Amino acid sequence: ESESLLTLSARPLEQRSRLVRSRVFSERRDERTEATSLFERLSLALPFPTCADADLFSTEIRFTAPMLELQGRERYLDVSKIWKDSLPIRLEGFNISRSELFMVNERKLKYRWAVEFYGPLPPQILPAQKRRVAAAKLQPDPARGGKVAVRVQFNTEISVDAQGKVEQLVERIEGDALGESVPSTIARFEVLQARRLPGDLPGVLRYMGVVRWLMREEFVELQERSESDEARVLGLGAKKPGEGFEFQFVVFVAQNFAMGGFIGIVIYCAIKLATGGPGALIAALAAWASYLSSWLRGGLSGSNFDL
């Protein structure tokens, strides 16, 4: 009969320690047949349990992860299968390099896992972006299209109910959001992009959602650092986590759209000047001015402009 987590915790420490194992992820799921305890089975199932592991989890399990919250065993196992199938395809060179399960007590476990892959370099439009990437002294791999090796580590807190089944998993990305290196930032961004699910926001909206999540993590950490220890203890001037972030994010988006629009206008004018000369450029700018004027007056009626 399988040994529950509740009885496993009563074992001597040295016996429990032998059950804590570190392994490189493989597809050898037949190892489950040799696992006799729930602890051992869970260590083999994570990070991507399948329907064969359903009895390890409560039917009302709650799973919380970056940009995702869900409830229910069926939904959790569905998401796990999607990630198990899609991440090796979406992330080049995908490899789970660490997978460790630790027992805290009879009702609490900790699970740490890390993934390595190759990610593309971030945009380097602004001078500060170029300086940061240059300072990182990255070594792009020509054989992989100039991508760089990156790594991201997850830390999951697992709660077990009175029946010895997993009832909650809370997953976080480890690391200091403000002090992350360029490779770590790349890894965070690419993993969150790759973990999109059917029905999630498409394309650029998902991209902006990931950017927003990363920026909020940095904002909250900066907010916590700016508050003195005494103020936090006494509750003096302490803000709610993320308070004021939405306004700053809107400003960030507006600035980037403005910058993108400016670049677009410059390119547009250069093309008009090169293909039609000064006369064509002046005519196009006059048409745009008329268009905007009509739009602002609310009188745009489908007029045609030769732009």
Side-chain angles (χ1 to χ4, degrees), residues 91 94-98 113-117 150-155 172-175 180 183-192:
L91 299 174
F94 179 86
N95 177 53
I96 294 180
S97 58
R98 179 184 182 183
W113 65 289
V115 59
E116 299 173 345
F117 58 95
V150 296
R151 182 178 188 270
V152 62
Q153 184 161 295
F154 295 89
N155 186 5
R172 297 182 179 88
I173 297 178
E174 285 193 3
E180 287 288 356
S184 296
T185 301
I186 295 172
R188 285 177 174 231
F189 179 83
E190 294 298 326
V191 162
L192 292 176

Side-chain angles (χ1 to χ4, degrees), residues 131-150:
R131 288 195 299 269
R132 186 174 182 228
V133 172
K137 297 180 180 180
L138 303 176
Q139 297 181 346
D141 187 344
R144 297 184 180 272
K147 294 182 179 181
V148 295
V150 296

Side-chain angles (χ1 to χ4, degrees), residues 232-282:
R232 281 196 295 268
V233 172
L234 298 178
L236 301 176
K239 297 180 180 180
K240 295 180 181 179
E243 183 178 345
F245 168 74
E246 295 302 332
F247 174 76
Q248 293 205 16
F249 183 70
V250 169
V251 171
F252 165 80
V253 172
Q255 288 175 337
N256 279 269
F257 270 108
M259 177 65 72
F262 175 76
I263 295 173
I265 290 172
V266 171
I267 294 174
Y268 173 82
C269 291
I271 292 174
K272 279 292 181 181
L273 186 61
T275 58
L281 175 59
I282 293 172

Side-chain angles (χ1 to χ4, degrees), residues 41-291:
R41 289 186 59 198
L42 194 59
S43 71
L44 292 171
L46 294 172
F48 302 126
T50 66
C51 291
D53 308 303
D55 60 313
L56 300 176
F57 305 96
S58 165
T59 56
E60 298 301 319
I61 183 175
R62 297 184 302 278
F63 177 64
T64 303
M67 301 185 68
L68 178 66
E69 289 187 17
L70 60 84
Q71 184 169 4
R73 180 169 64 193
E74 183 176 350
R75 175 60 175 159
Y76 170 62
L77 293 177
D78 285 345
V79 168
S80 175
K81 184 180 187 307
I82 291 172
W83 286 347
K84 178 177 180 290
D85 294 339
S86 64
L87 291 183
I89 298 173
R90 294 172 177 172
L91 299 174
E92 186 175 350
F94 179 86
N95 177 53
I96 294 180
S97 58
R98 179 184 182 183
S99 180
E100 295 178 308
L101 183 64
F102 304 93
M103 176 172 289
V104 179
N105 55 48
E106 63 184 19
R107 302 291 288 273
K108 296 288 182 183
L109 301 172
K110 282 188 179 294
Y111 176 64
R112 289 180 176 174
W113 65 289
V115 59
E116 299 173 345
F117 58 95
Y118 290 86
L121 291 174
Q124 302 170 59
I125 300 173
L126 301 177
Q129 294 172 328
K130 295 180 179 180
R131 288 195 299 269
R132 186 174 182 228
V133 172
K137 297 180 180 180
L138 303 176
Q139 297 181 346
D141 187 344
R144 297 184 180 272
K147 294 182 179 181
V148 295
V150 296
R151 182 178 188 270
V152 62
Q153 184 161 295
F154 295 89
N155 186 5
T156 306
E157 295 182 0
I158 303 174
S159 299
V160 181
D161 63 19
Q163 285 71 47
K165 295 183 180 293
V166 176
E167 64 177 356
Q168 179 171 290
L169 297 99
V170 179
E171 181 186 83
R172 297 182 179 88
I173 297 178
E174 285 193 3
D176 181 347
L178 285 175
E180 287 288 356
S181 63
V182 172
S184 296
T185 301
I186 295 172
R188 285 177 174 231
F189 179 83
E190 294 298 326
V191 162
L192 292 176
Q193 277 278 71
R195 296 215 303 185
R196 60 188 179 275
L197 299 170
D200 280 353
L201 294 173
V204 69
L205 295 180
R206 173 68 182 187
Y207 176 93
M208 293 303 298
V210 174
V211 171
R212 180 186 177 280
W213 186 88
L214 293 171
M215 287 184 62
R216 191 179 189 281
E217 290 289 294
E218 294 180 359
F219 182 88
V220 171
E221 188 163 324
L222 184 62
Q223 184 184 59
E224 291 175 349
R225 290 185 184 185
S226 65
E227 296 173 359
S228 67
D229 293 336
E230 183 178 359
R232 281 196 295 268
V233 172
L234 298 178
L236 301 176
K239 297 180 180 180
K240 295 180 181 179
E243 183 178 345
F245 168 74
E246 295 302 332
F247 174 76
Q248 293 205 16
F249 183 70
V250 169
V251 171
F252 165 80
V253 172
Q255 288 175 337
N256 279 269
F257 270 108
M259 177 65 72
F262 175 76
I263 295 173
I265 290 172
V266 171
I267 294 174
Y268 173 82
C269 291
I271 292 174
K272 279 292 181 181
L273 186 61
T275 58
L281 175 59
I282 293 172
L285 292 178
W288 273 110
S290 178
Y291 176 93

